[in-house]
Each structure stands twice: as C-alpha cells, then as structure tokens.
Amino acid sequence: MSQELFLAIDVGTGSVRAALLDTRGKILAVASREHEQIVPQFGWSEQRPRDWWDGVVAATRAVLDQVPQAAGRVAAVAACGQMHGTVLVDDRGELVRETAPLWNDKRTVDYVTAFEAAHPPQSYLGDCANPPTPAWPGFKLQWLRDNDAVAYRAAAAVLMPKDYINLRLTGEVAMDRNDGGASFLMDPGTGQWSEKMVGLLALDASKLAPLRNPVEILGHVTTKAALETGLREGTPVLVGGADYPVALLGSGVCRPGVGSEVMGTSAIITAIARRPLLDPAVCNVGTVEGNWGAFMLLESGGDAMRWARRAFHEKQFSYEEIVAKAAEAPAGSERLFFMPYLAGERLGDHRNARAQYFGIGAGHGLTHMHRAVLEGVAFAVKRHINILDGISGAPLERVIASGGGARTKLWMKIKASVYDIPILVPSEPECGLVGCAIMAATATGRFGSVEEGADCYVSYDEEISPDPHWADIYRPMQVFFERLYAHSQALYDDLDRLPQ
C-alpha cells in the first residue's frame, strides 16, 4: 500500500479546514480553524485574507501532527475555497486591501441594477454564461474601483480566496477556470477573460490573474511557507478549484445526465452539461473535469423547515418530531400546497416573491401543514429541474444529494418521488475534501482523469428510489404547482404596495 498522502485545504466562509487523505481517498485527519465575518454596515460582508492564511497554517500543522511522518509523505496539496471573495494584491504578492468582500456581500446591488437596465440578457449571456448578481467579482471590482480607488490602482492581481492561499504557499499568481467562469468576466467559449465583459464593466484587464485548469501543478511550497506550515519544501501545489465545483466532483457529479442537490439553508440543484445553459434564470459554473454545472437556487430549502419549527412550535419541537408529524399525513397532503418562497427568489422578475399555503380545507391539520412544506420545497426544486431539462434537452437520470437535508429520509423519499428519478447519498459527506484528493491523485498520475478518480474514491450509502404510488400523486400536483407559481407572480408587486 502506498505511503503517499494528499493534503486538502478548504477555505470556507466560517472556517479553514485541512485534511490528510490516503491514496484510497480515505480521510485520515481533519482540523479546522474558525474565522470571523466582518459586517461594516447592513448588506456588507468581508473577511481578512490574512485570517485565512493563519487558519491554513494552524490547521495544516494540526493534521501533520496527527499522522506519522506526514510532511514527508504529502505528494501534493490541493485547495478549494469559497467563491467570489475578491482579494487584491500588489506585484510583490502583498495585500493592498486588508479585507475582501465575500460572496454574500450585497454592496454592488446598484451596479447590478444599472447593468440590467442597460443590457438585455441576449446581448451578454454568451460572453459570460451568467445573469448579473451582486455576488460576481466583476461587480465587486466596479465598486472597489469607484469606492477604494487607492487599493484598486495599487492592485496588480485579483484573486479568489484559495488563490491567495496558493500564492502564500508557492509565490505564484493564478486563478482556476471554475472561479473565473463565475466572475461575470470569463468567455465560456475560450476559457479566457472576455474583452467584451471587461469593457462593459469598464475594468482593467491587466489586473486579472492568468487562468489555468484546476488539476495543473501551480508551483511548489516555498522555503518560507514550509517553515510556517510544517510542509516539506518543494511539495507540489495544484491550481485547485472553487469549493462548489470541487464538491460536485467529490460527490461523483462529473458527467452529463447526473445532477446534484445540496440542501442546506437554501437548495441548489445543478445539472452537468457539456456547455453552459444560457438562460436569464440559470447560473453556470465551470466544473473540474471541463464540463459546466448549470444551477438554480431556491433561497428557502432547509430554511422552510426551520421556519415551520419556529412558526408552529416556537422552536420547542425538534426537526425529527416535525418530520414524524409530516409522516402521518398522506402523500399529497390532501391537495394542500405550500409555495416555499419565504426569502423571495435569487433571479428573475420577482425577487420579491412570497411564501403561501394554498388549498387549506377544514380537514387539514398540523400534519398536513408540515408535509406540505416538505413537498412544496420538492415541487419548487422540480420546477428548476424542468427548466434545466428543457434547456439542455438531456433530462437528469439521477441526483446526488448532500447537505443537511440529505439526512432526512422522508424528505429524500418525497423528492425522489416528485423528481421521479433515483437519489443517491454519498458515503463520505466531506465531498469538498474528497474532491481535492481526487484532483491531487490525478495531478500526480494515479488516475488518467478526474472522472476515473471519482469512480474510485466516491461511494454511496444508499439509493432512494421513487415510490410509484407517490409519484402518481405528485405528477399532476407538479403541473398545478407550476400554474400556481405563474398566477402568483401578478400579485407580488401589488402586495408590496399595500400599507405596512
């Protein structure tokens, strides 16, 4: 058995994690260090890149101490990280701004609104593969250009969070095409920065880091980085990838026909396609293996259950008790519908959408209300699947589920029956760390492709098949849900105009 190890680094929003994995993809040691979000004012969200590096140093040393002779056995380092955090460094690699605005920072909303007003979607979608949102680094750079001109002028390169860690490890500047493709600035056809998009946003193209593929070797651990982290000087470091595409790979979602659902506070459904799916309602991110992940996000996924727990039980019931109550109601909740738009919608004309129950009758009770919440989220995600299937022309054949919601068996059975396709749950929930190991193993020659690595490293605990009886009930309900969704659109603006 090989004694080689892979070091995976995940720069998250709440913490940095480091893990050592063996050449079979098994996690041997994990350590994490938390860091804070800074909120200077409402809607803003920042972090200090130096805090990320301090976390990497501490977490790396912690895992190296847990495994005998680990530093000398690490064959490669692969990092992934939170997307869209916009880091500015000078030509010496030093920060020119102490903080970086994060993915959830909304200060750019006026820039997004102005862009939408000036440019119809068909005029730019083919040049960047995405509709505009405040998350994209392109709009963050506009804000920095106009509101922190000193830092913007001093910047020689724009990096994403894991790129900054790679810079500290190797001294090399680069960005992978996963993060680049989710910047609003990369041409999806060429995999290079789009002159058109850079021009439309009036940015300086010379500040954009070179784009490379995630599995390439970026450089090697420097003497200084080795002294800080405990790693062996000269250890290869990959270009790495954005956390979401790397987690897709680590869950086995790396071929067309396979989809991913990540159920946390929100619910993100992703379909793998050869090319980006160009539609104003769909976002696209490049994947590690070179495909595209077309994704749609439901703002209230798991948050819908959290709302029900608070609204109906003042948090006195556990989630397990709520699910047990829901299980007492029949499939379809006796024609009771729940529209789960508690926090509006991310994209589209009606970001001010609201949640609602529809069809309440005298015979409905709490069990129906709870089951309708679970079913309503499933119907809303199925609506997204229908959109993705319609654009791609290649319907999803199965979905890989991850996140907290994947542990709720009733919800998984409801979803499989609504989607009418099987759902698989990975055996190892740390999909990002496994994805890093797949990249490292491929870069060092253990696999001929990352798809081969995923086949070897990823296994599944169970496959949840649709219940044929439930599927028959849900199929016409889905059609009605879509009609209810369309009819409700006309009312949201009127609702907003009512006095408080």
Side-chain angles (χ1 to χ4, degrees):
M1 185 184 302
S2 172
Q3 292 298 301
E4 288 186 346
L5 302 171
F6 304 121
L7 176 67
I9 295 171
D10 183 352
V11 185
T13 308
S15 66
V16 167
R17 292 186 304 157
L20 287 172
L21 297 93
D22 66 19
T23 54
R24 297 169 299 170
K26 180 183 178 182
I27 297 174
L28 303 179
V30 180
S32 66
R33 291 295 183 274
E34 293 185 357
H35 44 243
E36 297 296 325
Q37 286 191 59
I38 303 163
V39 183
Q41 63 186 67
F42 177 76
W44 292 26
S45 177
E46 300 180 339
Q47 285 179 338
R48 298 181 184 89
R50 285 197 179 92
D51 290 346
W52 304 332
W53 175 247
D54 290 344
V56 167
V57 168
T60 299
R61 284 193 168 275
V63 294
L64 292 177
D65 286 344
Q66 293 178 48
V67 177
Q69 300 176 327
R73 296 165 58 193
V74 173
V77 179
C80 66
Q82 54 173 302
M83 302 173 72
H84 317 317
T86 307
V87 183
L88 302 182
V89 297
D90 63 20
D91 55 8
R92 298 171 300 151
E94 299 293 334
L95 292 167
V96 298
R97 196 171 192 273
E98 289 300 307
T99 59
L102 302 185
W103 59 274
N104 56 349
D105 188 291
K106 299 293 195 299
R107 75 185 71 183
T108 60
V109 66
D110 290 341
Y111 290 88
V112 173
T113 302
F115 186 91
E116 289 177 315
H119 306 286
Q122 63 270 22
S123 70
Y124 61 81
L125 274 177
D127 299 287
C128 65
N130 281 299
T133 81
W136 304 142
F139 295 109
K140 289 177 168 57
L141 285 174
Q142 283 190 306
W143 189 93
L144 291 166
R145 176 199 65 201
D146 297 344
N147 294 274
D148 195 346
V150 172
Y152 183 80
R153 284 196 300 268
V158 178
L159 302 174
M160 296 299 103
K162 63 94 180 51
D163 303 326
Y164 178 72
I165 298 307
N166 286 340
L167 171 63
R168 295 293 299 261
L169 285 171
T170 68
E172 300 291 337
V173 170
M175 186 187 301
D176 74 293
R177 289 185 171 86
N178 301 163
D179 267 324
S183 68
F184 208 61
L185 298 172
M186 192 188 89
D187 185 327
T190 65
Q192 299 299 328
W193 298 116
S194 166
E195 292 183 13
K196 177 178 176 178
M197 296 310 300
V198 172
L200 287 177
L201 272 59
L203 299 172
D204 183 351
S206 69
K207 298 181 185 296
L208 301 177
L211 290 168
R212 297 179 63 177
N213 291 325
V215 182
E216 292 179 26
I217 299 296
L218 171 67
H220 299 82
V221 173
T222 64
T223 303
K224 184 174 186 296
L227 288 170
E228 290 188 76
T229 63
L231 287 165
R232 173 176 50 84
E233 181 182 351
T235 303
V237 178
L238 276 64
V239 172
D243 58 358
Y244 188 51
V246 172
L248 289 177
L249 176 65
S251 66
V253 181
C254 54
R255 293 180 175 92
V258 181
S260 163
E261 182 185 87
V262 179
M263 177 66 78
T265 300
S266 60
I268 307 174
I269 189 76
T270 305
I272 301 300
R274 299 293 183 199
R275 293 177 296 278
L277 304 186
L278 302 181
D279 187 280
V282 177
C283 293
N284 292 276
V285 62
T287 58
V288 176
E289 76 281 358
N291 290 309
W292 285 82
F295 66 95
M296 300 182 72
L297 184 145
L298 178 68
E299 295 276 10
S300 297
D303 201 41
M305 192 189 290
R306 187 177 297 112
W307 167 81
R309 179 172 178 254
R310 175 180 56 79
F312 292 116
H313 304 290
E314 296 184 342
K315 301 182 181 180
Q316 298 305 303
F317 267 41
S318 69
Y319 291 115
E320 290 76 16
E321 289 173 310
I322 291 173
V323 173
K325 277 285 186 186
E328 296 176 17
S333 304
E334 296 186 20
R335 295 183 291 185
L336 175 63
F337 288 82
F338 178 72
M339 307 292 286
Y341 302 101
L342 292 158
E345 294 198 80
R346 177 70 60 92
L347 298 172
D349 294 332
H350 290 282
R351 292 170 177 157
N352 60 339
R354 297 291 185 94
Q356 60 177 301
Y357 280 102
F358 184 86
I360 298 175
H364 287 116
L366 193 57
T367 61
H368 299 88
M369 307 287 271
H370 283 325
R371 185 169 187 125
V373 167
L374 303 183
E375 292 173 338
V377 170
F379 289 138
V381 174
K382 172 61 172 171
R383 177 180 168 271
H384 288 168
I385 291 174
N386 289 342
I387 291 171
L388 295 171
D389 285 353
I391 299 170
S392 70
L396 289 181
E397 299 168 3
R398 60 177 179 165
V399 167
I400 313 299
S402 58
R407 296 191 291 271
T408 306
K409 291 189 180 296
L410 174 63
W411 212 349
M412 290 296 99
K413 192 73 173 181
I414 288 171
K415 288 180 177 183
S417 303
V418 169
Y419 307 163
D420 207 11
I421 52 177
I423 295 177
L424 285 76
V425 179
S427 304
E428 175 52 71
E430 295 284 5
C431 299
L433 299 178
V434 174
C436 286
I438 292 170
M439 292 193 298
T442 305
T444 54
R446 185 161 294 272
F447 300 117
S449 67
V450 291
E451 294 96 328
E452 182 185 338
D455 291 341
C456 182
Y457 281 6
V458 182
S459 60
Y460 302 98
D461 274 343
E462 58 182 326
E463 178 175 316
I464 300 104
S465 299
D467 181 299
H469 176 61
W470 290 8
D472 287 343
I473 292 171
Y474 291 142
R475 204 169 292 115
M477 290 187 72
Q478 182 69 40
V479 175
F480 188 90
F481 181 93
E482 304 265 0
R483 291 176 58 199
L484 182 58
Y485 177 90
H487 284 299
S488 299
Q489 302 294 301
L491 299 174
Y492 295 133
D493 291 342
D494 291 342
L495 179 63
D496 285 349
R497 283 190 283 269
L498 293 175
Q500 294 268 6

